[in-house]
Amino acid sequence: MPLHDYNARTNESRNWHADEHAEIRKMLLTIEQEFGLAFGQRDHLHVVVQQLRRLQCLLTVHFKNEETDGIYSEFPALYPRLTPQLNRLKAQHVELLEHIEQTIQFILEAMESIALDMAHRAFKIFMVELRHHETCEIDLVQSAFCDDIGVSG
């Protein structure tokens, strides 16, 4: 592939992922705010569940896009030394989606009990794990490009 085609494709992908990441961040903030409202109004928990289901769908698509047309599909051939890290990060996609489902189950149980604090903690842990996962993906990409042009330490 000519360099200008690769650069155009990379820029297009970067912009698309930036928009997607911005939407995910916005949704995380919204869910956190909804949780706050639910502490005062337990009947508000159904809104939190709806938001989490939307996030679950968004992340399912996000992870699938990354795996089929992103670093997970291109990097193994370009940077074989990064394959172990890619495999670990890819496995986290399933774990993160399972964590959302677990949080939803906690909320559904909280609607009938006093488990709201557990549900909220589960969501906060999920947010930390997701942010860490996305940071690791970004670090991996930066590492690959820095190594490729010979500027890594």
Side-chain angles (χ1 to χ4, degrees):
M1 171 184 310
L3 183 60
H4 61 83
D5 289 345
Y6 181 78
N7 286 340
R9 183 168 171 240
T10 301
N11 287 334
E12 180 181 315
S13 177
R14 185 180 307 119
N15 291 336
W16 182 80
H17 281 292
D19 292 344
E20 195 172 69
H21 285 144
E23 185 176 354
I24 291 168
R25 281 191 303 275
K26 181 179 175 186
M27 188 169 280
L28 290 172
L29 288 172
T30 298
I31 293 169
E32 182 64 19
Q33 290 169 345
E34 298 294 345
F35 254 119
L37 293 173
F39 278 105
Q41 308 168 33
R42 292 182 68 78
D43 59 337
H44 194 72
L45 287 173
H46 72 283
V47 174
V48 177
V49 170
Q50 290 172 341
Q51 292 292 330
L52 284 168
R53 290 280 184 219
R54 286 185 57 222
L55 177 64
Q56 195 174 36
C57 290
L58 180 63
L59 287 176
T60 298
V61 171
H62 172 73
F63 293 152
K64 183 177 185 279
N65 288 337
E66 283 182 339
E67 292 172 13
T68 58
D69 190 29
I71 63 173
Y72 297 95
S73 63
E74 296 176 7
F75 271 41
L78 295 171
Y79 309 102
R81 71 187 180 287
L82 299 177
T83 299
Q85 295 101 308
L86 285 167
N87 290 339
R88 279 193 300 277
L89 289 168
K90 187 175 180 180
Q92 286 179 354
H93 290 171
V94 172
E95 295 167 6
L96 289 164
L97 291 171
E98 288 172 353
H99 198 136
I100 292 177
E101 187 58 38
Q102 179 187 31
T103 302
I104 290 169
Q105 293 309 311
F106 280 143
I107 293 170
L108 294 174
E109 291 170 16
M111 289 177 169
E112 300 173 8
S113 70
I114 57 169
L116 183 56
D117 284 340
M118 253 179 25
H120 191 230
R121 275 192 302 261
F123 178 69
K124 284 185 170 282
I125 292 168
F126 165 76
M127 286 187 353
V128 169
E129 289 174 351
L130 179 62
R131 287 180 181 134
H132 177 73
H133 171 82
E134 293 297 325
T135 299
C136 287
E137 286 178 342
I138 291 166
D139 290 348
L140 186 78
V141 170
Q142 289 175 340
S143 170
F145 289 121
C146 288
D147 288 351
D148 197 40
I149 61 172
V151 296
S152 70

